[in-house]
Structure formats: C-alpha cells, structure tokens
Amino acid sequence: MAVTTEEQIEDVRRLVASIPAGFVATYGDIAEAAGLSSARTVGWIMRIDSADLPWHRVIGASGKPAAQIARRQIAQLELEGVPIRDGRIDMKTARHEF
C-alpha cells in the first residue's frame, strides 16, 4: 500500500474547502482532482483530518449519505439549498466540478 503524503492530504483538504455552498463533490471527484488512485484514500483523509472542513459537501457517488451521518449531512445540505430527493442528492444539479 502506498503511503499518503502530507502534500496529498493538503491537496484533498484544499479541494474540500473549495466546494461552494449549495454544491457537493464525490470522494472519487476529489481523488481524481488530487491525482490520487482511489476514492478510499479521500475517505481516509476525511476521517482523520476534516473537522474544520465542509465535510457535509462530500458524498458517495450514489448521492446517498452514509447511514450513520445521513440526518446531519442532509440537514446541513438542505440549509445550503442542495437539491435532495428521497434522501439522495440530485447529483446532476448539485455536483461541483473542479
């Protein structure tokens, strides 16, 4: 397994911080923009170092939040005007492009 560098962590943090209110990005979008080989690396970085970031704007590719954070994440996204239908983010409308 490749070691994740501080530079890669900072790249992911910068990208997450750049997602504007009212939009979301997937873990895969962020991985691609950061030049990482896996969306899982972004998930790991978010898990260890995202408390001061708009973490709620990062979503899985399906547009459905993880069950353990779904209520909180959807509530925050709704406040920002993100279109949500049946518990899923409308990715066609809300997806941020880097």
Side-chain angles (χ1 to χ4, degrees):
M1 177 183 251
V3 175
T4 303
T5 67
E6 284 297 319
E7 181 179 351
Q8 290 169 322
I9 291 170
E10 289 308 312
D11 283 347
V12 167
R13 289 180 48 78
R14 178 185 52 76
L15 289 163
V16 172
S18 76
I19 304 167
F23 292 89
V24 297
T26 69
Y27 293 95
D29 294 338
I30 295 166
E32 183 177 340
L36 299 172
S37 61
S38 172
R40 289 178 184 259
T41 303
V42 174
W44 176 79
I45 292 168
M46 294 291 295
R47 196 168 46 253
I48 64 160
D49 193 14
S50 67
D52 61 335
L53 296 173
W55 62 268
H56 58 283
R57 297 180 190 151
V58 181
I59 193 91
S62 72
K64 189 169 184 173
Q68 66 271 24
I69 59 169
R71 278 194 168 155
R72 195 168 63 162
Q73 189 169 23
I74 286 176
Q76 288 185 301
L77 292 172
E78 283 178 332
L79 285 173
E80 294 183 355
V82 172
I84 300 167
R85 292 187 187 96
D86 299 323
R88 284 189 196 274
I89 310 308
D90 179 352
M91 297 301 287
K92 288 182 182 177
T93 305
R95 194 176 209 156
H96 175 66
E97 292 188 31
F98 293 104

PDB file of all heavy atoms in Angstrom, residues 76-95:
ATOM      1  N   GLN A  76     -27.695  19.727   6.864  1.00  0.00           N
ATOM      2  CA  GLN A  76     -26.759  20.802   6.518  1.00  0.00           C
ATOM      3  C   GLN A  76     -26.832  21.144   5.033  1.00  0.00           C
ATOM      4  O   GLN A  76     -26.796  22.308   4.660  1.00  0.00           O
ATOM      5  CB  GLN A  76     -25.333  20.419   6.922  1.00  0.00           C
ATOM      6  CG  GLN A  76     -25.155  20.454   8.426  1.00  0.00           C
ATOM      7  CD  GLN A  76     -23.725  20.187   8.838  1.00  0.00           C
ATOM      8  OE1 GLN A  76     -23.162  19.146   8.527  1.00  0.00           O
ATOM      9  NE2 GLN A  76     -23.146  21.138   9.542  1.00  0.00           N
ATOM     10  N   LEU A  77     -26.959  20.138   4.186  1.00  0.00           N
ATOM     11  CA  LEU A  77     -27.039  20.388   2.754  1.00  0.00           C
ATOM     12  C   LEU A  77     -28.342  21.089   2.381  1.00  0.00           C
ATOM     13  O   LEU A  77     -28.356  21.974   1.525  1.00  0.00           O
ATOM     14  CB  LEU A  77     -26.872  19.083   1.973  1.00  0.00           C
ATOM     15  CG  LEU A  77     -25.470  18.464   2.050  1.00  0.00           C
ATOM     16  CD1 LEU A  77     -25.468  17.078   1.416  1.00  0.00           C
ATOM     17  CD2 LEU A  77     -24.426  19.369   1.415  1.00  0.00           C
ATOM     18  N   GLU A  78     -29.431  20.717   3.035  1.00  0.00           N
ATOM     19  CA  GLU A  78     -30.714  21.392   2.783  1.00  0.00           C
ATOM     20  C   GLU A  78     -30.631  22.869   3.129  1.00  0.00           C
ATOM     21  O   GLU A  78     -31.161  23.712   2.402  1.00  0.00           O
ATOM     22  CB  GLU A  78     -31.835  20.729   3.570  1.00  0.00           C
ATOM     23  CG  GLU A  78     -32.312  19.431   2.961  1.00  0.00           C
ATOM     24  CD  GLU A  78     -33.394  18.751   3.769  1.00  0.00           C
ATOM     25  OE1 GLU A  78     -33.452  18.930   5.010  1.00  0.00           O
ATOM     26  OE2 GLU A  78     -34.197  18.021   3.148  1.00  0.00           O
ATOM     27  N   LEU A  79     -29.957  23.189   4.232  1.00  0.00           N
ATOM     28  CA  LEU A  79     -29.779  24.591   4.618  1.00  0.00           C
ATOM     29  C   LEU A  79     -29.028  25.386   3.559  1.00  0.00           C
ATOM     30  O   LEU A  79     -29.224  26.594   3.424  1.00  0.00           O
ATOM     31  CB  LEU A  79     -29.042  24.696   5.953  1.00  0.00           C
ATOM     32  CG  LEU A  79     -29.837  24.352   7.198  1.00  0.00           C
ATOM     33  CD1 LEU A  79     -28.922  24.328   8.419  1.00  0.00           C
ATOM     34  CD2 LEU A  79     -30.989  25.317   7.397  1.00  0.00           C
ATOM     35  N   GLU A  80     -28.170  24.703   2.814  1.00  0.00           N
ATOM     36  CA  GLU A  80     -27.387  25.358   1.760  1.00  0.00           C
ATOM     37  C   GLU A  80     -28.102  25.353   0.410  1.00  0.00           C
ATOM     38  O   GLU A  80     -27.578  25.874  -0.569  1.00  0.00           O
ATOM     39  CB  GLU A  80     -26.022  24.673   1.621  1.00  0.00           C
ATOM     40  CG  GLU A  80     -25.160  24.848   2.838  1.00  0.00           C
ATOM     41  CD  GLU A  80     -23.777  24.230   2.684  1.00  0.00           C
ATOM     42  OE1 GLU A  80     -23.503  23.571   1.641  1.00  0.00           O
ATOM     43  OE2 GLU A  80     -22.963  24.401   3.600  1.00  0.00           O
ATOM     44  N   GLY A  81     -29.287  24.735   0.359  1.00  0.00           N
ATOM     45  CA  GLY A  81     -30.050  24.728  -0.880  1.00  0.00           C
ATOM     46  C   GLY A  81     -29.711  23.612  -1.854  1.00  0.00           C
ATOM     47  O   GLY A  81     -30.076  23.676  -3.028  1.00  0.00           O
ATOM     48  N   VAL A  82     -29.033  22.587  -1.383  1.00  0.00           N
ATOM     49  CA  VAL A  82     -28.700  21.448  -2.243  1.00  0.00           C
ATOM     50  C   VAL A  82     -29.988  20.675  -2.531  1.00  0.00           C
ATOM     51  O   VAL A  82     -30.735  20.344  -1.612  1.00  0.00           O
ATOM     52  CB  VAL A  82     -27.660  20.522  -1.570  1.00  0.00           C
ATOM     53  CG1 VAL A  82     -27.453  19.247  -2.362  1.00  0.00           C
ATOM     54  CG2 VAL A  82     -26.344  21.261  -1.383  1.00  0.00           C
ATOM     55  N   PRO A  83     -30.257  20.384  -3.816  1.00  0.00           N
ATOM     56  CA  PRO A  83     -31.474  19.632  -4.143  1.00  0.00           C
ATOM     57  C   PRO A  83     -31.361  18.174  -3.692  1.00  0.00           C
ATOM     58  O   PRO A  83     -30.398  17.483  -4.028  1.00  0.00           O
ATOM     59  CB  PRO A  83     -31.577  19.747  -5.659  1.00  0.00           C
ATOM     60  CG  PRO A  83     -30.195  20.058  -6.126  1.00  0.00           C
ATOM     61  CD  PRO A  83     -29.509  20.776  -5.001  1.00  0.00           C
ATOM     62  N   ILE A  84     -32.351  17.746  -2.918  1.00  0.00           N
ATOM     63  CA  ILE A  84     -32.364  16.394  -2.365  1.00  0.00           C
ATOM     64  C   ILE A  84     -33.731  15.785  -2.658  1.00  0.00           C
ATOM     65  O   ILE A  84     -34.758  16.418  -2.398  1.00  0.00           O
ATOM     66  CB  ILE A  84     -32.093  16.418  -0.847  1.00  0.00           C
ATOM     67  CG1 ILE A  84     -30.725  17.047  -0.578  1.00  0.00           C
ATOM     68  CG2 ILE A  84     -32.187  15.019  -0.255  1.00  0.00           C
ATOM     69  CD1 ILE A  84     -30.473  17.406   0.867  1.00  0.00           C
ATOM     70  N   ARG A  85     -33.724  14.569  -3.179  1.00  0.00           N
ATOM     71  CA  ARG A  85     -34.965  13.854  -3.470  1.00  0.00           C
ATOM     72  C   ARG A  85     -34.880  12.462  -2.856  1.00  0.00           C
ATOM     73  O   ARG A  85     -33.956  11.711  -3.160  1.00  0.00           O
ATOM     74  CB  ARG A  85     -35.178  13.727  -4.976  1.00  0.00           C
ATOM     75  CG  ARG A  85     -35.460  15.040  -5.650  1.00  0.00           C
ATOM     76  CD  ARG A  85     -35.830  14.839  -7.120  1.00  0.00           C
ATOM     77  NE  ARG A  85     -35.938  16.139  -7.766  1.00  0.00           N
ATOM     78  CZ  ARG A  85     -34.966  16.719  -8.451  1.00  0.00           C
ATOM     79  NH1 ARG A  85     -33.806  16.116  -8.586  1.00  0.00           N
ATOM     80  NH2 ARG A  85     -35.143  17.904  -9.001  1.00  0.00           N
ATOM     81  N   ASP A  86     -35.851  12.134  -2.018  1.00  0.00           N
ATOM     82  CA  ASP A  86     -35.914  10.806  -1.400  1.00  0.00           C
ATOM     83  C   ASP A  86     -34.612  10.410  -0.706  1.00  0.00           C
ATOM     84  O   ASP A  86     -34.139   9.287  -0.830  1.00  0.00           O
ATOM     85  CB  ASP A  86     -36.295   9.743  -2.444  1.00  0.00           C
ATOM     86  CG  ASP A  86     -37.663  10.007  -3.052  1.00  0.00           C
ATOM     87  OD1 ASP A  86     -38.564  10.457  -2.321  1.00  0.00           O
ATOM     88  OD2 ASP A  86     -37.823   9.775  -4.269  1.00  0.00           O
ATOM     89  N   GLY A  87     -33.993  11.352  -0.013  1.00  0.00           N
ATOM     90  CA  GLY A  87     -32.779  11.069   0.740  1.00  0.00           C
ATOM     91  C   GLY A  87     -31.517  11.004  -0.091  1.00  0.00           C
ATOM     92  O   GLY A  87     -30.462  10.627   0.412  1.00  0.00           O
ATOM     93  N   ARG A  88     -31.600  11.373  -1.362  1.00  0.00           N
ATOM     94  CA  ARG A  88     -30.426  11.377  -2.249  1.00  0.00           C
ATOM     95  C   ARG A  88     -30.196  12.776  -2.799  1.00  0.00           C
ATOM     96  O   ARG A  88     -31.135  13.494  -3.115  1.00  0.00           O
ATOM     97  CB  ARG A  88     -30.627  10.449  -3.443  1.00  0.00           C
ATOM     98  CG  ARG A  88     -30.485   9.015  -3.135  1.00  0.00           C
ATOM     99  CD  ARG A  88     -30.497   8.214  -4.441  1.00  0.00           C
ATOM    100  NE  ARG A  88     -30.728   6.817  -4.181  1.00  0.00           N
ATOM    101  CZ  ARG A  88     -29.786   5.952  -3.880  1.00  0.00           C
ATOM    102  NH1 ARG A  88     -28.535   6.329  -3.814  1.00  0.00           N
ATOM    103  NH2 ARG A  88     -30.082   4.700  -3.643  1.00  0.00           N
ATOM    104  N   ILE A  89     -28.937  13.101  -2.934  1.00  0.00           N
ATOM    105  CA  ILE A  89     -28.547  14.366  -3.537  1.00  0.00           C
ATOM    106  C   ILE A  89     -28.795  14.265  -5.042  1.00  0.00           C
ATOM    107  O   ILE A  89     -28.459  13.255  -5.663  1.00  0.00           O
ATOM    108  CB  ILE A  89     -27.051  14.659  -3.288  1.00  0.00           C
ATOM    109  CG1 ILE A  89     -26.677  14.505  -1.819  1.00  0.00           C
ATOM    110  CG2 ILE A  89     -26.660  16.019  -3.852  1.00  0.00           C
ATOM    111  CD1 ILE A  89     -27.524  15.249  -0.845  1.00  0.00           C
ATOM    112  N   ASP A  90     -29.359  15.298  -5.638  1.00  0.00           N
ATOM    113  CA  ASP A  90     -29.506  15.352  -7.092  1.00  0.00           C
ATOM    114  C   ASP A  90     -28.140  15.719  -7.674  1.00  0.00           C
ATOM    115  O   ASP A  90     -27.778  16.880  -7.781  1.00  0.00           O
ATOM    116  CB  ASP A  90     -30.566  16.395  -7.481  1.00  0.00           C
ATOM    117  CG  ASP A  90     -30.752  16.508  -8.975  1.00  0.00           C
ATOM    118  OD1 ASP A  90     -29.966  15.907  -9.751  1.00  0.00           O
ATOM    119  OD2 ASP A  90     -31.694  17.214  -9.388  1.00  0.00           O
ATOM    120  N   MET A  91     -27.387  14.688  -8.020  1.00  0.00           N
ATOM    121  CA  MET A  91     -26.002  14.876  -8.446  1.00  0.00           C
ATOM    122  C   MET A  91     -25.899  15.633  -9.771  1.00  0.00           C
ATOM    123  O   MET A  91     -24.924  16.348  -9.993  1.00  0.00           O
ATOM    124  CB  MET A  91     -25.286  13.528  -8.533  1.00  0.00           C
ATOM    125  CG  MET A  91     -25.172  12.793  -7.205  1.00  0.00           C
ATOM    126  SD  MET A  91     -24.289  13.733  -5.932  1.00  0.00           S
ATOM    127  CE  MET A  91     -22.620  13.596  -6.541  1.00  0.00           C
ATOM    128  N   LYS A  92     -26.887  15.519 -10.626  1.00  0.00           N
ATOM    129  CA  LYS A  92     -26.845  16.242 -11.907  1.00  0.00           C
ATOM    130  C   LYS A  92     -26.874  17.749 -11.685  1.00  0.00           C
ATOM    131  O   LYS A  92     -26.249  18.499 -12.419  1.00  0.00           O
ATOM    132  CB  LYS A  92     -28.014  15.824 -12.797  1.00  0.00           C
ATOM    133  CG  LYS A  92     -27.860  14.442 -13.355  1.00  0.00           C
ATOM    134  CD  LYS A  92     -29.015  14.081 -14.261  1.00  0.00           C
ATOM    135  CE  LYS A  92     -28.836  12.664 -14.762  1.00  0.00           C
ATOM    136  NZ  LYS A  92     -29.958  12.239 -15.593  1.00  0.00           N
ATOM    137  N   THR A  93     -27.587  18.169 -10.664  1.00  0.00           N
ATOM    138  CA  THR A  93     -27.731  19.590 -10.382  1.00  0.00           C
ATOM    139  C   THR A  93     -26.676  20.107  -9.417  1.00  0.00           C
ATOM    140  O   THR A  93     -26.166  21.204  -9.578  1.00  0.00           O
ATOM    141  CB  THR A  93     -29.128  19.874  -9.773  1.00  0.00           C
ATOM    142  OG1 THR A  93     -30.117  19.364 -10.663  1.00  0.00           O
ATOM    143  CG2 THR A  93     -29.355  21.335  -9.540  1.00  0.00           C
ATOM    144  N   ALA A  94     -26.345  19.308  -8.410  1.00  0.00           N
ATOM    145  CA  ALA A  94     -25.528  19.797  -7.296  1.00  0.00           C
ATOM    146  C   ALA A  94     -24.039  19.483  -7.395  1.00  0.00           C
ATOM    147  O   ALA A  94     -23.255  19.973  -6.582  1.00  0.00           O
ATOM    148  CB  ALA A  94     -26.073  19.234  -5.982  1.00  0.00           C
ATOM    149  N   ARG A  95     -23.635  18.692  -8.366  1.00  0.00           N
ATOM    150  CA  ARG A  95     -22.238  18.262  -8.428  1.00  0.00           C
ATOM    151  C   ARG A  95     -21.308  19.402  -8.820  1.00  0.00           C
ATOM    152  O   ARG A  95     -21.465  20.034  -9.849  1.00  0.00           O
ATOM    153  CB  ARG A  95     -22.091  17.116  -9.406  1.00  0.00           C
ATOM    154  CG  ARG A  95     -20.780  16.397  -9.292  1.00  0.00           C
ATOM    155  CD  ARG A  95     -20.766  15.214 -10.223  1.00  0.00           C
ATOM    156  NE  ARG A  95     -19.922  14.151  -9.706  1.00  0.00           N
ATOM    157  CZ  ARG A  95     -20.051  12.886 -10.026  1.00  0.00           C
ATOM    158  NH1 ARG A  95     -21.001  12.492 -10.839  1.00  0.00           N
ATOM    159  NH2 ARG A  95     -19.232  12.003  -9.521  1.00  0.00           N
TER     160      ARG A  95
END
